[in-house]
Each structure stands twice: as C-alpha cells, then as structure tokens.
Amino acid sequence: MMPLNAYSKNIVKSKMADFDYIKADKVEGFLLQLDRYENKRLYASYIQRYFEITRKETFTIVNSLMEQDIIDPCFQIKIGERFLPGEYNNLSEIPETIFDEENGYDVTVKYEDNIFVFYKVNV
C-alpha cells in the first residue's frame, strides 16, 4: 500500500479547511483513510456520510480531489438492480447499446438511468 502524494494531499487539506461545513478534525482522518483505498472503490455516499454533509457539499469535495489527481471517476453500467461486468474510465467508452445476457436482448444505455459513477484512488 502506497500513501497518497503528500503535495496533493496538503493542497486538498488546505482547500477543505476553507469549507465551513467540514469539521477540521475529520479532514486528516479522511485523507488517511484514502491511503487504504488502493484498488478499492470510493463512493460519493461514503464521503457524504463521513463528513455528515449534503450531496452538493460532497461533490465540492469530490471535485477538489479530482483536481489534485487524487481520485478519478469510473463508470459502470447498471440495468435495473444489476451491475454489468466492466468498468469505463471515460463516458465516451460506454457503448450506446449493450446486450443483456440475463434477459437476452439489447438495451439502449441511457446515462441518467444506466450509468453508475464511483471513484478510484490514485496512489
């Protein structure tokens, strides 16, 4: 397990200190937690629960982490309650249609209905 880039971590820590909705004592612990997320998925809902903040505030943090190249978005196709195998690093990689083997037919992929976003931590 490698730690996050210290320089990027300090920049994010400084930015997060300016967010009045974040408890300062939780920032360091959160960044230490990210060190343990190598090869794991990070969900926006985890950030929201950890800091006890709104969804909008959560994505302000997500954007700060992405700006410092600490996390990258990943996308997965979801049909109903099922996630299809495969992850995509860019929206442009996602096919317009995909064959649903369980139901036996092609499904048109709609971003708002069928795309699930999570994040990978860059260590």
Side-chain angles (χ1 to χ4, degrees):
M1 178 174 66
M2 291 181 57
L4 295 172
N5 176 303
Y7 177 74
S8 296
K9 206 186 227 185
N10 284 332
I11 290 174
V12 168
K13 191 185 312 182
S14 173
K15 280 186 175 186
M16 291 173 79
D18 291 339
F19 301 151
D20 59 351
Y21 48 85
I22 293 180
K23 297 173 186 165
D25 59 329
K26 287 195 151 194
V27 173
E28 187 68 34
F30 174 73
L31 293 172
L32 288 173
Q33 288 282 339
L34 289 185
D35 284 336
R36 298 185 189 114
Y37 267 82
E38 183 177 11
N39 298 319
K40 293 183 185 175
R41 294 178 173 195
L42 175 66
Y43 301 101
S45 59
Y46 170 77
I47 296 170
Q48 185 174 0
R49 283 190 315 275
Y50 185 89
F51 288 109
E52 301 172 8
I53 55 177
T54 68
R55 191 151 178 84
K56 182 178 178 180
E57 293 164 341
T58 299
F59 285 104
T60 302
I61 293 172
V62 166
N63 287 334
S64 293
L65 294 170
M66 287 191 319
E67 285 170 7
Q68 293 306 313
D69 200 32
I70 290 176
I71 61 173
D72 286 322
C74 287
F75 307 94
Q76 190 169 16
I77 298 174
K78 181 178 178 184
I79 298 175
E81 296 299 314
R82 291 181 299 115
F83 289 97
L84 301 185
E87 298 174 357
Y88 303 90
N89 294 319
N90 296 299
L91 289 173
S92 62
E93 296 175 354
I94 298 171
E96 291 181 22
T97 61
I98 194 159
F99 186 73
D100 181 359
E101 292 185 20
E102 188 170 296
N103 293 319
Y105 55 83
D106 284 331
V107 174
T108 300
V109 177
K110 298 177 185 166
Y111 290 122
E112 62 276 359
D113 297 330
N114 304 114
I115 303 301
F116 179 78
V117 182
F118 61 95
Y119 304 89
K120 289 206 174 174
V121 178
N122 297 318
V123 289

